[in-house]
Amino acid sequence: MSESEPPPDQIQTHSQDHDSLTLTLPLLSYRQRSVNSTSQVAIVGANACPIESLDYEIAENDFFKQDWRTRGKIQIFQYIFMKWLLCFLIGGFVSLVGFFNNIAVETIAGVKFAFTSNMMSDRRHGMAFLVFSVSNLLLTLFAAILTAFISPAAAGSGIPEVKAYLNGVDAPDIFSPRTLIVKIVGSISAVSSSLVVGKAGPMVHIGSSIASLFGQGGSRKYGLTWKWLRFFKNDRDRRDLVTCGSAAGIAAAFRAPVGGVLFALEEMASWWRSALLWRSFFTTAVVAIILRALIDVCFSDKCGLFGKGGLIMFDAYSANVSYHLADVPPVLVLGVIGGILGSLYNFLLIRVLRVYNFIYEKGIIYQICIACTISILTSFLLYGLPWLASCQPCPSDAPEACPTIGGSGNYKRFQCPPGHYNDLASLIFNTNDDAVRNLFTKDAMSEFQLTTMLIFFVTCFVLGILSYGIVAPAGLFVPVIVTGASYGRFVGMLLGSHTNLSHSLYAVLGAASFLGGSMRMTVSLCVIILELTNNLLLLPLIMIVLLISKTVADAFNGNIYDLIMAVKGFPYLETHAEPYMRQMTVADVVSGPLQLCHGIEKVGNIVHILKTTRHHGFPVIDASPDSESSVLYGLILRAHLIALLKKKAFLSTPIRLGVDDAFRHFSADDFAKRGLGNVDKIEDIELTDEEMEMFLDLHPFTNASPYTVVESMSLAKALVLFREVGLRHLLVIPKITSRAPVVGILTRHDFMPEHILGRRGGGGGLIQLLHMGLTLETETAKTDPAPAV
Amino acid sequence: MSESEPPPDQIQTHSQDHDSLTLTLPLLSYRQRSVNSTSQVAIVGANACPIESLDYEIAENDFFKQDWRTRGKIQIFQYIFMKWLLCFLIGGFVSLVGFFNNIAVETIAGVKFAFTSNMMSDRRHGMAFLVFSVSNLLLTLFAAILTAFISPAAAGSGIPEVKAYLNGVDAPDIFSPRTLIVKIVGSISAVSSSLVVGKAGPMVHIGSSIASLFGQGGSRKYGLTWKWLRFFKNDRDRRDLVTCGSAAGIAAAFRAPVGGVLFALEEMASWWRSALLWRSFFTTAVVAIILRALIDVCFSDKCGLFGKGGLIMFDAYSANVSYHLADVPPVLVLGVIGGILGSLYNFLLIRVLRVYNFIYEKGIIYQICIACTISILTSFLLYGLPWLASCQPCPSDAPEACPTIGGSGNYKRFQCPPGHYNDLASLIFNTNDDAVRNLFTKDAMSEFQLTTMLIFFVTCFVLGILSYGIVAPAGLFVPVIVTGASYGRFVGMLLGSHTNLSHSLYAVLGAASFLGGSMRMTVSLCVIILELTNNLLLLPLIMIVLLISKTVADAFNGNIYDLIMAVKGFPYLETHAEPYMRQMTVADVVSGPLQLCHGIEKVGNIVHILKTTRHHGFPVIDASPDSESSVLYGLILRAHLIALLKKKAFLSTPIRLGVDDAFRHFSADDFAKRGLGNVDKIEDIELTDEEMEMFLDLHPFTNASPYTVVESMSLAKALVLFREVGLRHLLVIPKITSRAPVVGILTRHDFMPEHILGRRGGGGGLIQLLHMGLTLETETAKTDPAPAV
């Protein structure tokens, strides 16, 4: 966010010329924010990166207008056809990656568990531990080294990055091919290494990366361009594709196509149109159909260990579930406690992340050390804890071999004598997917012991929190589901015969309560859980649990992804305005004085302006025909100015150019936005002194109708415009027209609470604000915007 | 839409002062629109009504700002608490109405069928027909008389009216208590009278009406007001509640809580925030839980015929469905034909509606005659057609008594000998719900004959189209589902042994294809069908069918609700801009000259302006302190001017008032928007000549920061602002500031294609537009906005 952030000495407050400071009563009490910054720099992965905003506004200049007019039916057909084709390709690729991901994890983890189990059967326990822990360590190390050295942006879940991107924040490298490869390979090896990390978050990032690469329009560097793709070289179309990609990611991870669309809608997207709903539905339908076909192939055992492990669908219930009013109170309690635990999970996760970030600043070696430490700790716990559990005799009516033979199975023998199995090992010494399936499906009351469940819950809770922050691709969904399911099952076992609901149903509800408490989604989580468990009769109970756990958790802190975005420093623009924004006008926050261009400007001046500022948009003014004052002509983007300079089609005299002249020198491709944050820099353009004295007519390339607001508008109202329309620059015009035609430019940055506080005089700003009776958000205001007449 | 529509003599085109008319090539070819009008008058029910826009913009005047500041924590708590409480109450009431609705229909229809069946068993066929047709006629007549004489707005589905309301179009009387009562009672009697009409649409209207009444803040007339409700006296909060109410309606009609939320999101709502998702999810959860509890009570047979008939859930599948690639091609064909038939359904329905509307203009008696004719025709067909079908022997393993004893059952004996049943009668001589349940569940291949299915399909198709337009509450969902299910089952039977899929599965897919072809929703229909049939394994097939049928149908015409809105003349504002809007500037369509107010205005002038215009917003200008020209101060609403005049707190001299003075004379309640379209009229305010000579200071009550656009902005870009932010008035300011401070006001009306054509000189406008190379929308442009760089 570098546009129109002025050097500190230029900051001036307009507090003298409006009356919103003479407040009588504070609206709400002040609450301190723990967010660190929304400066131009964000922590992506483990490194600090410069970040930019995206351009969603239609740049309505004469040149583009003319370009639209020259588009015939064929071009429009190309555009529509390509958009659907790209959605189809995104769905296809994402489902293939998801499928490959699953096979790879099942195979690697399966071989590992098979080896270890066989050694344990031979009573070579030390050797078994060595194989187990060393293979885990190597896998983790591989993922960590890949991530730390090749693409730090691939670390973590990726959902916060994609969510920020869809809000208009472009952190570089998050969608690069490098990141994509690291994310796929790293996610497979991290999940296979028995760390308590998930694959759903990485799948969302992978889906979005694939979509973004398709939307790139090929690579000019490698000659991989196609004319038909040229229409997608803009941020609006890429945003649509990335939204579809994120929906496809969830659809592939959980085999939940409808859940994927709703996840993209509820959690990811900041702008939504019904055409986008329709297109993302198409994308996830492609995913569902391809996955279904691939599973059909695999059910005939042609996919190695995968065919048995199944894809991600847990398919928990085919029996009818019946429940009565008496069963509701314990479910309510489950929801309340789940909400508290979920928000505690968020709280602790963020603390751990901050500690990790602090350590990570010391160097890459520290990052890798932490990953190794967590891996060794995990191996110790996973191998050590099952020894605490007592052996159970195999049930006579077990649906599969008991104890398990080979790697994949749910009756782990571990240290037990033949004919017995270790129930804790069945959960903990297994892949997370299998553990969830165990918790969700096994209905025999004696299957698990109470202590087993407690140990498993605590282990997952702690390891889940510690593992997320390591430098490797790591999702949050599966750890939260596993932890929640064990919590729910534990509660169900505690209740014993006081409830009619089965333990496995409690596991599902527990998972729902934990998800609700941590992720805070409603409809999408509801549908994802239904698609996972495949039973719609659970619906009312799941709805209750989600409602309660979300409500309870909202009282403590925010959505986990929002918290992570805050830690990473993304300037995410919320929909709702904080109450204090109603008391401030845009004049209070807007920066000035501005760098202006004239309609026909000297090349040297343009170069000077571009070199001395880092703004991304410049107002263009013209002399008024009938008076002394100047008139606002429009807004020109830095990228377009650089494109103009690069072509060097300068004028020797300051005359006004027609659109046709502009078309002779330029094509629309010159102004197309390149992908992956690649931008030409002003420093790379070399101009002679003679050229510096020449002129450029900016009129054909200036957006002649930028959105404007009057300086006396409240910040809240300007935010509505900025957010709903999806702007990067919002021009502020003066109330009295005799002044300069433009007061300043608002950018995303100006709506950030940190910036608003900062403008009021650095450290003292806070006190000053309080003194004036201005107040910051409260929890209640977060849930609901303040009432208005 | 009466605001700022100028008298015809004031129309002036600004076409001379911009260059967008000098186009070189047409973007898209012209397509004629069949929409009749978007004037100030719309056909609601069968009468023409004046319609208004809703105010969603935050009126940021000094008075309201001061009012917000004086709100403490308690008020904010009241607001939030009330908002959730209202959602709870809406959910509760809607579920009770839905439940009552079902019991009533089941009972009335059950008694009717039982009587008739008993007479037929006694071989008194003539008498049976008489009882059947007379009871149907009486029920239809009752519904028609209620609707025609008491509340014409209750006719039809109600979904188009609610959809238009949520877009900002306020047709009077659609949410009045009178309409609500007529809708409930009329819907019960229309559905019971064996007409092919549904109850889902009316339930949506009922849900929205209940929500709107709760949001009314009680009734001042009957002293039913509560201070805590005062925060809801504005259009924004009412919009949220009505959205929740419409979600609750679908949730109650189909017992599909998630489907209800998605329906409200995809089809109904024009503006959506994640807080609203969360709140409507809560509302439908309440519906789901209460319905579940009520059904529990009814399963113990305490609810008469209802307990057996079941609620609306069809619960078709508990068995696993398996299908393979070979089954996909017939499903694709099913989807294509379903899409064609669905769009044909829409086409014919609209034609019939237009014919009806033409007849209805002749008088109420004609309206009732048509209703009676349709009822008699329906009785003839329903009673006559089963005679064509041959009798089938009862299966030995029938799950219920065969032939059916009494009113509710699925093996109707009709004219058959004992031990036999008539398969066509089981479908046609039954309630629509039971028919759907029969089609969706019965899997025996011999259950229905091919001719039976064909006769039933044609009957439903024809009667569904003829019945919708009668003057009675009539939904579209159930007729479309019944028709689609019979179509699908027919296709399944035609395929015979060439497919592995069961006939009942074909019925579900056929219903999906018809819904997709007629309603054109995706995610919400998908979830509603899943919730109806309770089997998630169908998901990929349903997704394919919906995608295909929607795509095919979109090639022919629009969504059925949009078509009905067009027939009714609602000025619905689309999200996407038509391509020709990019070629026009706002100056081309804006009306002028304007009626302006001065900051301190004479009472007589205000009265004159209000009496001579029907505008709803007036720019307020001030003299500029340093020049001759005037300065735009803001925008004041007609409603606020009338509130000021009503209080008669006039000034004897033109001095500027402080906010504190304003507070002394007025309270926020004076400006609260009243519900149900009740507005004070200027004609009702009587002022003396002396008062007419006094002054009013408008400054504290003027929205000092209205949204503005520059006159050179393209219409498409202005539409984005207008639509996304939800405006009623959009001020257009001049490019050159030395002119008058405001060029005109854009309203919803100015974005309507009809109006844009009209401005270009009435009948000749079209040719003129074509001559200029301006072009109107095409089908492709509807699916996708035109590409942009």
Side-chain angles (χ1 to χ4, degrees), chain A residues 20 23-29 57-58 60 64-73 76 79-80 83-84 231 234 236-237 257-258 261-262 265-266 273 275 277-279 281-282 284-285 288-289 292 296 313 323-324 522-523 526-527 530-531 534-537 539-540 543-544 547 550-551 554 582-583 625-626 631-633 668 703-708 710 712-714 717 720-721 724-725 733 735-738 780 783-789, chain B residues 20 23-29 57-58 60 64-73 76 79-80 83-84 231 234 236-237 257-258 261-262 265-266 273 275 277-279 281-282 284-285 288-289 292 296 313 323-324 522-523 526-527 530-531 534-537 539-540 543-544 547 550-551 554 582-583 625-626 631-633 668 671 703-708 710 712-714 717 720-721 724-725 733 735-738 780 783-785 787-789:
Chain A
S20 74
L23 306 183
T24 49
L25 267 170
L27 254 189
L28 294 165
S29 68
E57 191 183 346
I58 301 168
E60 232 176 32
F64 287 162
K65 274 190 183 168
Q66 186 63 23
D67 183 48
W68 297 329
R69 270 173 225 144
T70 54
R71 287 199 190 157
K73 272 191 180 173
I76 293 191
Y79 171 77
I80 293 170
K83 210 154 185 181
W84 287 104
F231 303 119
N234 67 76
R236 257 166 301 125
D237 284 314
V258 177
V261 174
L262 295 178
L265 164 65
E266 188 175 358
R273 296 170 295 114
L277 190 72
W278 175 209
R279 204 167 276 124
F281 185 76
F282 172 75
T284 62
I289 291 158
R292 166 94 212 178
D296 263 4
M313 195 150 184
Y323 47 89
H324 304 283
T522 51
V523 187
C526 195
V527 173
L530 289 179
E531 291 188 290
N534 194 27
N535 195 323
L536 277 159
L537 295 175
L539 190 57
M543 287 178 104
I544 298 183
L547 280 168
K550 178 178 152 70
T551 311
D554 272 341
R582 294 195 147 193
Q583 314 291 356
D626 53 355
V631 167
L632 177 67
Y633 181 77
N703 176 359
S705 52
Y707 291 106
T708 56
V710 69
S712 62
M713 187 181 278
S714 80
K717 206 168 163 182
V720 171
L721 170 61
E724 297 296 327
V725 179
I733 54 173
K735 187 92 194 170
I736 311 294
T737 46
S738 56
T780 47
T783 344
D784 271 84
V789 173
Chain B
S20 73
L23 306 182
T24 50
L25 266 171
L27 255 188
L28 294 165
S29 68
E57 189 183 348
I58 302 169
E60 231 175 33
F64 287 163
K65 274 190 182 168
Q66 187 64 21
D67 184 49
W68 298 329
R69 272 173 223 142
T70 55
R71 288 198 190 159
K73 272 191 178 172
I76 292 190
Y79 172 77
I80 292 169
K83 210 153 186 183
W84 287 105
F231 304 118
N234 67 77
R236 257 165 301 126
D237 285 314
V258 177
V261 174
L262 294 178
L265 164 66
E266 188 174 358
R273 297 171 294 114
L277 190 72
W278 174 209
R279 202 166 279 123
F281 186 75
F282 172 75
T284 61
I289 291 159
R292 166 94 213 178
D296 263 5
M313 195 148 183
Y323 46 90
H324 304 284
T522 52
V523 187
C526 194
V527 172
L530 289 180
E531 289 188 291
N534 195 28
N535 194 323
L536 278 158
L537 296 174
L539 190 57
M543 288 177 102
I544 296 183
L547 280 168
K550 178 178 153 70
T551 311
D554 273 342
R582 294 195 148 194
Q583 315 290 359
D626 52 356
V631 168
L632 178 68
Y633 181 77
F671 298 99
N703 177 0
S705 52
Y707 291 106
T708 55
V710 70
S712 62
M713 186 181 279
S714 79
K717 206 168 164 183
V720 172
L721 170 61
E724 296 296 327
V725 179
I733 54 174
K735 188 94 194 170
I736 310 293
T737 45
S738 56
T780 48
T783 344
D784 272 84
V789 174

Side-chain angles (χ1 to χ4, degrees), chain B residues 258-418:
Chain B
V258 177
V261 174
L262 294 178
F263 176 80
L265 164 66
E266 188 174 358
E267 185 60 30
M268 304 303 286
S270 294
W271 290 280
W272 193 265
R273 297 171 294 114
S274 64
L276 193 53
L277 190 72
W278 174 209
R279 202 166 279 123
S280 56
F281 186 75
F282 172 75
T283 315
T284 61
V286 171
V287 172
I289 291 159
I290 292 181
L291 277 185
R292 166 94 213 178
L294 289 172
I295 287 166
D296 263 5
V297 174
C298 273
F299 266 126
S300 37
D301 260 4
K302 286 176 197 141
C303 310
L305 292 154
F306 178 74
K308 286 165 202 148
L311 196 47
I312 323 89
M313 195 148 183
F314 301 119
D315 206 351
Y317 290 92
S318 44
N320 262 10
V321 187
S322 72
Y323 46 90
H324 304 284
L325 269 184
D327 299 322
V328 173
V331 170
L332 298 184
V333 175
L334 184 93
V336 172
I337 300 176
I340 294 171
L341 288 174
S343 63
L344 181 67
Y345 194 90
N346 289 4
F347 175 79
L348 293 175
L349 189 77
I350 294 302
R351 291 288 134 142
V352 170
L353 267 189
R354 285 188 193 280
V355 172
Y356 281 3
N357 278 344
F358 180 73
I359 298 172
Y360 287 173
E361 282 171 14
K362 297 186 178 163
I364 285 184
I365 195 73
Y366 285 87
Q367 302 177 9
I368 291 173
C369 276
I370 285 186
C372 293
T373 313
I374 300 295
S375 170
I376 292 167
L377 174 69
T378 306
S379 297
F380 262 103
L381 288 177
L382 264 48
Y383 191 84
L385 287 174
W387 296 89
L388 301 177
S390 56
C391 293
Q392 311 266 88
C394 277
S396 53
D397 56 347
E400 52 178 304
C402 174
T404 296
I405 308 147
S408 155
N410 297 323
Y411 289 100
K412 295 279 181 188
R413 193 178 137 194
F414 213 69
Q415 90 287 17
C416 293

Side-chain angles (χ1 to χ4, degrees), chain A residues 241-519:
Chain A
L241 290 175
V242 168
T243 310
C244 292
S246 69
I250 285 287
F254 291 120
R255 243 179 88 194
V258 177
V261 174
L262 295 178
F263 176 81
L265 164 65
E266 188 175 358
E267 184 61 31
M268 304 305 285
S270 293
W271 289 280
W272 194 264
R273 296 170 295 114
S274 63
L276 193 53
L277 190 72
W278 175 209
R279 204 167 276 124
S280 56
F281 185 76
F282 172 75
T283 315
T284 62
V286 171
V287 172
I289 291 158
I290 293 181
L291 277 185
R292 166 94 212 178
L294 290 172
I295 288 166
D296 263 4
V297 174
C298 273
F299 265 127
S300 37
D301 259 5
K302 285 175 196 142
C303 311
L305 292 153
F306 178 74
K308 286 165 202 148
L311 196 49
I312 322 89
M313 195 150 184
F314 301 120
D315 205 353
Y317 290 91
S318 45
N320 263 8
V321 187
S322 72
Y323 47 89
H324 304 283
L325 267 185
D327 299 322
V328 173
V331 170
L332 298 183
V333 175
L334 184 92
V336 171
I337 301 176
I340 295 172
L341 288 174
S343 63
L344 181 68
Y345 194 91
N346 289 4
F347 175 79
L348 293 174
L349 189 78
I350 295 302
R351 290 288 134 139
V352 170
L353 267 189
R354 284 186 193 283
V355 172
Y356 281 2
N357 276 344
F358 181 73
I359 298 172
Y360 288 171
E361 282 170 15
K362 297 185 177 164
I364 285 184
I365 195 73
Y366 285 87
Q367 302 177 9
I368 291 173
C369 275
I370 285 186
C372 293
T373 312
I374 299 296
S375 171
I376 293 167
L377 175 69
T378 305
S379 297
F380 261 104
L381 287 177
L382 264 48
Y383 191 84
L385 287 173
W387 295 89
L388 299 177
S390 55
C391 293
Q392 311 267 86
C394 277
S396 53
D397 55 346
E400 52 178 303
C402 175
T404 297
I405 307 148
S408 155
N410 298 322
Y411 290 101
K412 296 278 180 187
R413 192 176 141 197
F414 214 68
Q415 91 287 18
C416 293
H420 287 67
Y421 73 99
N422 184 320
D423 64 340
L424 184 51
S426 299
L427 293 174
I428 214 170
F429 203 63
N430 215 333
T431 58
N432 289 328
D433 282 0
D434 279 333
V436 172
R437 205 175 292 113
N438 272 342
L439 290 169
F440 277 10
T441 51
K442 294 285 165 58
D443 250 344
M445 293 300 173
S446 60
E447 184 85 42
F448 299 106
Q449 300 167 64
L450 200 60
T451 49
T452 297
M453 210 42 73
L454 187 62
I455 293 173
F456 185 60
F457 168 66
V458 174
T459 313
C460 290
F461 193 90
V462 173
L463 285 182
I465 289 169
L466 291 177
S467 308
Y468 177 76
I470 66 169
V471 276
L476 274 169
F477 256 102
V478 173
V480 168
I481 291 177
V482 165
T483 315
S486 56
Y487 151 71
R489 192 138 184 156
F490 179 71
V491 171
M493 289 162 83
L494 271 185
L495 287 170
S497 58
H498 293 84
T499 175
N500 297 313
L501 305 179
S502 69
H503 291 177
S504 51
L505 180 49
Y506 266 102
V508 173
L509 296 177
S513 75
F514 236 72
L515 284 169
S518 176
M519 317 247 164

Side-chain angles (χ1 to χ4, degrees), chain A residues 4 41 49 102 122 131 141 283 306 319 360 514 518 521 598 626 759:
Chain A
S4 71
V41 172
C49 306
N102 263 289
D122 304 346
V131 169
L141 202 61
T283 315
F306 178 74
Y360 288 171
F514 236 72
S518 176
M521 289 169 270
H598 291 92
D626 53 355
R759 289 203 55 91

Side-chain angles (χ1 to χ4, degrees), chain A residues 653-716:
Chain A
T653 49
I655 49 154
R656 192 148 172 182
L657 215 66
V659 177
D660 296 336
D661 296 318
F663 253 81
R664 210 169 306 127
H665 296 301
F666 296 93
S667 79
D669 255 4
D670 295 328
F671 298 98
K673 175 135 182 178
R674 285 157 65 191
L676 302 175
N678 289 330
V679 282
D680 292 311
K681 290 196 184 62
I682 179 67
E683 287 75 17
D684 301 338
I685 298 174
E686 284 181 18
L687 296 167
T688 62
D689 284 348
E690 193 183 348
E691 282 169 336
M692 292 293 250
E693 290 300 315
M694 292 173 84
F695 295 91
L696 258 176
D697 180 8
L698 303 180
H699 288 107
F701 310 101
T702 300
N703 176 359
S705 52
Y707 291 106
T708 56
V709 294
V710 69
E711 59 182 338
S712 62
M713 187 181 278
S714 80
L715 200 56

